[in-house]
Short mmCIF file of all heavy atoms in Angstrom, two decimals:
data_model
loop_
_atom_site.label_atom_id
_atom_site.label_comp_id
_atom_site.label_asym_id
_atom_site.label_seq_id
_atom_site.Cartn_x
_atom_site.Cartn_y
_atom_site.Cartn_z
N VAL A 399 24.18 -13.21 -24.41
CA VAL A 399 22.75 -13.57 -24.34
C VAL A 399 21.91 -12.29 -24.29
O VAL A 399 22.18 -11.40 -23.48
CB VAL A 399 22.46 -14.43 -23.09
CG1 VAL A 399 20.97 -14.71 -22.97
CG2 VAL A 399 23.25 -15.73 -23.16
N ALA A 400 20.92 -12.21 -25.15
CA ALA A 400 20.03 -11.05 -25.18
C ALA A 400 18.77 -11.37 -24.40
O ALA A 400 18.40 -12.54 -24.25
CB ALA A 400 19.68 -10.70 -26.62
N THR A 401 18.09 -10.33 -23.90
CA THR A 401 16.81 -10.59 -23.24
C THR A 401 15.81 -11.09 -24.30
O THR A 401 15.88 -10.68 -25.47
CB THR A 401 16.22 -9.34 -22.55
OG1 THR A 401 15.61 -8.53 -23.55
CG2 THR A 401 17.25 -8.54 -21.82
N ALA A 402 14.91 -11.94 -23.85
CA ALA A 402 13.93 -12.53 -24.77
C ALA A 402 13.05 -11.46 -25.41
O ALA A 402 12.46 -11.66 -26.47
CB ALA A 402 13.08 -13.54 -24.02
N MET A 403 12.99 -10.30 -24.75
CA MET A 403 12.07 -9.24 -25.20
C MET A 403 12.69 -8.34 -26.27
O MET A 403 12.04 -7.41 -26.73
CB MET A 403 11.71 -8.35 -24.01
CG MET A 403 10.77 -8.98 -23.05
SD MET A 403 9.14 -9.11 -23.80
CE MET A 403 8.42 -10.30 -22.72
N ASP A 404 13.96 -8.56 -26.63
CA ASP A 404 14.64 -7.63 -27.53
C ASP A 404 14.34 -7.95 -28.99
O ASP A 404 14.86 -8.93 -29.54
CB ASP A 404 16.15 -7.69 -27.26
CG ASP A 404 16.92 -6.66 -28.07
OD1 ASP A 404 16.32 -6.03 -28.97
OD2 ASP A 404 18.12 -6.48 -27.80
N PRO A 405 13.52 -7.13 -29.66
CA PRO A 405 13.15 -7.45 -31.05
C PRO A 405 14.25 -7.11 -32.04
O PRO A 405 14.14 -7.46 -33.21
CB PRO A 405 11.92 -6.59 -31.29
CG PRO A 405 12.07 -5.44 -30.37
CD PRO A 405 12.89 -5.88 -29.19
N SER A 406 15.32 -6.44 -31.60
CA SER A 406 16.35 -6.00 -32.55
C SER A 406 17.41 -7.05 -32.79
O SER A 406 18.29 -6.86 -33.63
CB SER A 406 17.01 -4.71 -32.04
OG SER A 406 17.82 -4.99 -30.92
N VAL A 407 17.37 -8.16 -32.06
CA VAL A 407 18.43 -9.17 -32.24
C VAL A 407 18.31 -9.78 -33.63
O VAL A 407 17.23 -9.93 -34.19
CB VAL A 407 18.37 -10.28 -31.16
CG1 VAL A 407 18.65 -9.70 -29.79
CG2 VAL A 407 17.05 -11.03 -31.19
N ARG A 408 19.47 -10.11 -34.21
CA ARG A 408 19.49 -10.73 -35.54
C ARG A 408 19.31 -12.23 -35.42
O ARG A 408 18.88 -12.90 -36.34
CB ARG A 408 20.82 -10.42 -36.25
CG ARG A 408 21.21 -8.95 -36.25
CD ARG A 408 20.24 -8.09 -37.06
NE ARG A 408 20.77 -6.75 -37.31
CZ ARG A 408 20.48 -5.66 -36.60
NH1 ARG A 408 19.63 -5.72 -35.60
NH2 ARG A 408 21.02 -4.51 -36.90
N LYS A 409 19.71 -12.76 -34.25
CA LYS A 409 19.58 -14.19 -34.01
C LYS A 409 18.96 -14.35 -32.63
O LYS A 409 19.40 -13.68 -31.68
CB LYS A 409 20.99 -14.82 -34.03
CG LYS A 409 20.99 -16.31 -34.01
CD LYS A 409 22.43 -16.81 -34.15
CE LYS A 409 22.48 -18.29 -33.80
NZ LYS A 409 23.78 -18.68 -33.30
N LEU A 410 17.95 -15.19 -32.50
CA LEU A 410 17.19 -15.29 -31.25
C LEU A 410 18.10 -15.44 -30.04
O LEU A 410 18.97 -16.31 -30.02
CB LEU A 410 16.21 -16.47 -31.34
CG LEU A 410 15.18 -16.53 -30.21
CD1 LEU A 410 14.22 -15.35 -30.27
CD2 LEU A 410 14.41 -17.85 -30.26
#
Side-chain angles (χ1 to χ4, degrees):
V399 176
T401 80
M403 287 289 163
D404 185 350
S406 71
V407 296
R408 310 294 193 262
K409 189 175 167 208
L410 191 66

